Amino acid sequence: MAPWGELFAGVRGVLLDISGVLYDSGAGGGTAIAGSVEAVARLKRSQLKIRFCTNESQKSRAELVGQLRRLGFDISEGEVTAPAPAACQILKERGLRPHLLIHDGVRSEFDQIDTSNPNCVVIADAGESFSYQNMNSAFQVLMELESPVLISLGKGRYYKETSGLMLDVGPYMKALEYACGIQAEVVGKPSPEFFKSALQAIGVEAHQAQ
C-alpha cells in the first residue's frame, strides 16, 4: 500500500460515507466496521478537512451522531451532510408542503415544515411504514396534483444491517414513479448537488477531494 502522504497528495478534503463504510446498522446500535474508528481518528489528526455524507433517513442527524459516538467515532452533528435537512431547505425555497412518507425516527427534521394541504410527496426509507395504505395515500396525493412533485431521500436499492440485507427507499420510489408516470427528484447520494453541498461545507473543490 502506498504511504499516507502519497495517497493524499494534492487532496485537501475527504468525503466519508457512513453506513456500510464506517458501521453496519442493526439491533443494539449496530457495529463499527473493523479499523474504521481508527481511520477516522487518523484523518482527524491530519490537515485534511472531513465531511461525513449519508443517505440515512431512518434517524435524525442527532440520533445518528449519538449512535456513532457510542461506537467510538469522533464526529459531530455539524460535520454530517444528510438528505433530510437538504430536503427541508428545498421545500422552504420552493414553497412546497409535503405529504411525508418517512420513518418516525427522522420526522423531527421536518418539525418546522408546513405539511398542511400537501402539494408534493417526500419519501424516505420508511421501514415498516411502507404499508399498502401508506404507499397508496402518497400515490393519491400525487395523482391529485396538476404538476406532481416527488422528492426522494436517496434512491438506494438495499443496504446491509447486522441481521442481513434490507430494502431501501429506491424500490418504493420507483413504484410511485411508475404508477404516477413521473420522475422523482433525488436528494442525497448519488445526486451531484448533494456532494457539491458537502464540499461547500468544508470549502473544498471537487478536484481537491477524495
Side-chain angles (χ1 to χ4, degrees):
M1 181 179 291
W4 183 269
E6 291 182 19
L7 284 173
F8 292 98
V11 175
R12 293 184 53 230
V14 176
L15 302 184
L16 291 174
D17 198 352
I18 295 179
S19 180
V21 174
L22 300 184
Y23 90 120
D24 287 327
S25 59
T31 57
I33 292 172
S36 59
V37 173
E38 295 79 7
V40 169
R42 187 173 182 185
L43 286 169
K44 286 289 190 84
R45 291 194 299 269
S46 74
Q47 299 300 309
L48 296 169
K49 296 182 178 180
I50 311 299
R51 191 74 182 174
F52 299 90
C53 299
T54 181
N55 270 358
E56 173 63 65
S57 60
Q58 285 197 354
K59 304 178 184 72
S60 67
R61 280 180 302 170
E63 183 182 351
L64 175 63
V65 165
Q67 183 173 312
L68 291 170
R69 291 183 68 86
R70 286 190 292 274
L71 292 175
F73 291 99
D74 178 8
I75 182 173
S76 66
E77 189 174 341
E79 294 176 299
V80 178
T81 295
C88 287
Q89 185 63 33
I90 291 171
L91 294 170
K92 291 176 181 177
E93 289 174 354
R94 294 165 56 181
L96 294 172
R97 302 177 305 277
H99 170 89
L100 296 172
L101 180 48
I102 61 176
H103 195 279
D104 284 344
V106 78
R107 198 168 293 275
S108 62
E109 297 275 19
F110 294 86
D111 281 349
Q112 303 304 312
I113 299 297
D114 181 7
T115 57
S116 63
N117 190 25
N119 57 3
C120 74
V121 168
V122 171
I123 185 173
D125 180 8
E128 296 299 326
S129 292
F130 276 135
S131 64
Y132 172 81
Q133 181 178 352
N134 289 342
M135 283 288 289
N136 200 54
S137 293
F139 163 73
Q140 290 174 335
V141 170
L142 289 168
M143 292 298 286
E144 290 172 359
L145 296 173
E146 184 176 346
S147 300
V149 175
L150 173 61
I151 296 175
S152 181
L153 306 192
K155 63 173 187 179
R157 294 181 295 165
Y158 59 86
Y159 56 92
K160 182 182 179 183
E161 287 197 347
T162 53
S163 60
L165 297 179
M166 313 292 287
L167 276 178
D168 204 345
V169 65
Y172 301 95
M173 177 198 81
K174 287 293 184 182
L176 289 175
E177 283 186 330
Y178 178 70
C180 300
I182 60 175
Q183 185 169 351
E185 301 177 28
V186 178
V187 178
K189 301 176 295 178
S191 166
E193 293 302 318
F194 186 72
F195 290 111
K196 286 179 185 177
S197 68
L199 291 170
Q200 288 171 356
I202 57 175
V204 170
E205 299 292 330
H207 68 277
Q208 300 171 316
Q210 279 194 358

